[in-house]
Amino acid sequence: MTGPVLEMRSIGKTFPGVRALADVTLTVRRGEVHALCGENGAGKSTLMKVLSGVHPHGGYEGEILFEGDPCRFRDIRASERRGIVIIHQELALVPYLSIAENIFLGNERATRGVVSWNETLREATRLMRRVGLDEHPQTRVADIGVGKQQLVEIAKALSKEVKLLVLDEPTAALNDEDSAQLIDLILELKEQGITSIIISHKLGEIRRVADAVTILRDGRTIETLDVADPATTEDRIISGMIGRDLDHRFPDRTPYGGEPGTAPALEIRDWTVFHPIDRQRKVVDGVSLSVRRGEIVGIAGLMGAGRTELAMSVFGRSYGRYGGGTVLKDGETIRTRSVPEAVAHGIAYVTEDRKHYGLNLIDTIGRNISLSALGRVARRGVVDAHEERRVAEGFRTSMNIKAPTVFEPVGRLSGGNQQKVVLSKWIFAGPDVLILDEPTRGIDVGAKYEIYTVIDRLAAEGKAVIVISSELPELLGMCDRIYTMAAGRLTGEVLRSEATQDVLMRHMTREDARENDHER
């Protein structure tokens, strides 16, 4: 490693009523991978937006030096001309354009205003090979997965002769395989001399890829640590992020013992769902499971196992084509043919994609919370604004939603606080059964603990809770029983006392499930 390629000195940034950054200092050495950690709302993304010109010079305090030169970026193009490229958590790709068109969008290979498609395709192919993407350059971005879309974004950055690559939560929406591929690519780019800044909540990932980690808390720099130092443990990083030692990652929980003779709060029998387009393909095949009141039941599985498809299809047949099966509530057969019907039977589903399906980002906290049960805050068909506000304020306090008022647009909140709003919305509906799909995806360890506490409290109140998660430690730490799925089929049921990551992974990769899937 050589001297610093980037220095951000005494950076401050204020939004109306909020001090987002205060005297933040960040130094990144040339050729390293530098991690930026902190709780949601700590100021990580805001700092990177200052660096990249999203927040232009004049709108913040402090100074930026890149390769030793003072920089006063007025917009993103100005920072990109210096070789600083940021890839945001929400990918900036046009789904109906091709991979090649996306790579060179705004940076077209053209002569006298006319695009040279031969050069575009040739250069796109070269860049795609560099990032390990083997698709045809004319493939639409809408037709590839999120993991490959991340690679398109990196290829796009490389087309701009990137010197400093900033990745904001690059693996938040990826499965383990795609995450590992992306981390390998970042390490390859490091070998090629490209410096990277990675924002991530995944501490194991940081320890694997980063050379140094800077911790932000409440908009201030706490410390910068050398990842190679044995003293830089996950607990040390967590302590810096949240300002205290976190003795336990999960709340203390007495395993559910069950009540003999009582029917499950929710039971699913022989549930089958076909793909919405390929009508012959079963994505959920004869799954049967149950959850009792006061119990937290987990569902584990690799990407494509059918976990989300199962949950969405049970919740009002929101996914795919119904192929058979029965849903029972407290021992009685019920119909859940639509979302209102499922909600009326006391079933709630917290989606894995809160930004697209869980929230109205341009509306307020209060209105988002009341959406699931407007009848509870309405009189004669008209919403009572005072009652809506009272309910929302109650949830803002009890769920510790960090916002100045309930009139704050949800889109301005951090990921962890957005997740609390989604949970509040469905808790307000008064369900007996909550299906939580990736409830802590993309949020920091402190906010995760708060979410775990909420889940534990709901179970203690007699709610039946199903948790779908890609993080096995999360399932092991929270659940009384864990079901495993592979290729649309149920492959195992493991009690808390018998569950380990090895046992779960063995069930999640059952070859017989895959063979049956190939036969269909």
Side-chain angles (χ1 to χ4, degrees):
M1 300 290 178
T2 58
V5 67
L6 171 70
E7 295 180 81
M8 301 183 76
R9 300 173 177 172
S10 303
I11 302 297
K13 175 65 180 173
T14 302
F15 296 103
V18 179
R19 182 70 167 165
L21 299 172
D23 197 29
V24 173
T25 298
L26 175 67
T27 301
V28 180
R29 294 174 296 175
R30 187 182 303 275
E32 76 173 354
V33 177
H34 198 108
L36 201 56
C37 286
E39 292 189 274
N40 292 106
K44 308 180 297 296
S45 295
T46 301
L47 183 65
M48 292 300 97
K49 287 177 180 177
V50 167
L51 171 63
S52 62
V54 174
H55 299 315
H57 182 262
Y60 60 87
E61 304 150 19
E63 63 176 341
I64 300 172
L65 281 78
F66 186 68
E67 296 182 318
D69 300 325
C71 297
R72 299 176 178 85
F73 300 134
R74 294 289 183 181
D75 52 31
I76 294 176
R77 283 185 176 275
S79 66
E80 288 182 347
R81 282 195 291 270
R82 285 303 305 265
I84 301 171
V85 181
I86 183 168
I87 299 176
H88 297 280
Q89 188 173 354
E90 282 76 35
L91 302 181
L93 299 173
V94 182
Y96 298 109
L97 293 183
S98 69
I99 294 173
E101 289 169 320
N102 270 282
I103 288 174
F104 295 108
L105 189 61
N107 185 32
E108 287 80 6
R109 295 298 182 256
T111 303
R112 296 177 182 176
V114 178
V115 173
S116 171
W117 291 109
N118 287 336
E119 184 181 355
T120 297
L121 294 174
R122 183 172 61 253
E123 279 296 297
T125 301
R126 182 183 66 82
L127 291 168
M128 289 166 64
R129 286 175 180 165
R130 190 173 173 187
V131 300
L133 191 60
D134 57 4
E135 305 291 319
H136 192 281
Q138 290 180 307
T139 302
R140 292 191 319 167
V141 163
D143 297 330
I144 61 177
V146 177
K148 291 182 178 180
Q149 289 180 17
Q150 282 280 13
L151 299 180
V152 174
E153 280 280 22
I154 294 176
K156 186 176 180 179
L158 295 176
S159 76
K160 300 171 183 176
E161 299 182 2
V162 61
K163 298 177 182 177
L164 175 61
L165 181 63
V166 181
L167 301 107
D168 190 352
E169 294 287 353
T171 63
L174 304 186
N175 60 30
D176 291 343
E177 183 179 348
D178 287 341
S179 295
Q181 182 180 357
L182 184 58
I183 293 301
D184 288 341
L185 176 58
I186 293 170
L187 292 172
E188 287 178 20
L189 295 176
K190 173 185 171 181
E191 294 297 319
Q192 297 169 21
I194 294 175
T195 307
S196 298
I197 298 175
I198 180 170
I199 299 173
S200 179
H201 293 127
K202 299 181 179 180
L203 301 186
E205 181 176 278
I206 286 171
R207 290 188 60 80
R208 180 187 167 199
V209 74
D211 301 294
V213 54
T214 293
I215 301 170
L216 299 187
R217 186 171 73 240
D218 298 328
R220 297 178 181 273
T221 302
I222 301 302
E223 59 182 339
T224 296
L225 302 171
D226 182 351
V227 174
D229 187 338
T232 306
T233 62
E234 289 191 15
D235 287 342
R236 171 74 181 276
I237 296 172
I238 291 170
S239 177
M241 288 169 59
I242 66 178
R244 66 184 189 279
D245 291 331
L246 193 62
D247 296 329
H248 303 285
R249 299 285 182 93
F250 305 96
D252 292 330
R253 174 169 172 75
T254 302
Y256 174 84
E259 298 180 16
T262 59
L266 182 73
E267 185 176 3
I268 302 164
R269 294 179 181 172
D270 199 27
W271 194 258
T272 299
V273 180
F274 290 91
H275 191 277
I277 297 175
D278 184 355
R279 297 300 185 94
Q280 302 302 313
R281 178 185 160 203
K282 291 180 181 178
V283 291
V284 179
D285 189 1
V287 170
S288 298
L289 56 81
S290 65
V291 57
R292 296 180 180 275
R293 293 182 185 274
E295 188 180 27
I296 301 176
V297 169
I299 302 179
L302 301 175
M303 187 67 72
R307 301 166 303 163
T308 294
E309 292 82 354
L310 169 65
M312 291 182 67
S313 60
V314 168
F315 186 65
R317 301 187 187 173
S318 305
Y319 175 88
R321 185 170 62 86
Y322 173 70
T326 307
V327 177
L328 294 90
K329 174 88 180 302
D330 297 320
E332 300 290 332
T333 300
I334 62 171
R335 292 182 175 181
T336 59
R337 296 168 298 181
S338 67
V339 170
E341 202 169 38
V343 173
H345 283 296
I347 302 173
Y349 170 64
V350 176
T351 174
E352 65 175 341
D353 190 345
R354 58 179 172 264
K355 290 182 182 291
H356 285 90
Y357 302 117
L359 296 166
N360 181 352
L361 296 177
I362 63 174
D363 216 336
T364 65
I365 294 170
R367 288 184 178 173
N368 271 276
I369 289 174
S370 64
L371 274 176
S372 63
L374 284 174
R376 294 189 171 199
V377 293
R379 295 180 181 177
R380 297 178 181 177
V382 179
V383 172
D384 183 334
H386 294 291
E387 179 64 11
E388 184 179 55
R389 178 180 179 180
R390 186 192 67 78
V391 168
E393 285 288 0
F395 279 106
R396 185 169 75 96
T397 301
S398 65
M399 299 287 283
N400 193 26
I401 298 170
K402 296 176 182 177
T405 72
V406 295
F407 300 109
E408 187 78 4
V410 169
R412 292 184 185 175
L413 303 182
S414 66
N417 286 301
Q418 287 180 354
Q419 191 68 5
K420 292 175 187 177
V421 174
V422 178
L423 282 168
S424 299
K425 178 180 78 170
W426 285 113
I427 293 170
F428 178 55
D432 300 313
V433 179
L434 288 100
I435 305 172
L436 311 179
D437 197 349
E438 301 287 2
T440 63
R441 171 173 284 172
I443 62 178
D444 62 80
V445 288
K448 279 185 177 183
Y449 188 86
E450 291 183 300
I451 298 294
Y452 297 148
T453 301
V454 171
I455 295 171
D456 210 41
R457 186 176 73 229
L458 291 169
E461 293 170 357
K463 309 290 187 185
V465 183
I466 296 175
V467 177
I468 299 170
S469 178
S470 299
E471 298 186 29
L472 297 186
E474 183 169 86
L475 295 175
L476 293 169
M478 287 297 299
C479 299
D480 301 305
R481 287 185 295 125
I482 302 171
Y483 290 102
T484 57
M485 291 184 65
R489 292 191 168 194
L490 206 66
T491 56
E493 178 184 356
V494 186
L495 296 176
R496 181 189 184 104
S497 59
E498 302 169 355
T500 65
Q501 291 198 45
D502 289 341
V503 169
L504 295 180
M505 188 58 72
R506 194 157 56 244
H507 286 300
M508 290 159 55
T509 55
R510 285 261 301 266
E511 290 298 324
D512 56 342
R514 292 199 170 128
E515 288 167 6
N516 290 332
D517 183 58
H518 291 317
E519 290 171 5
R520 290 197 293 275

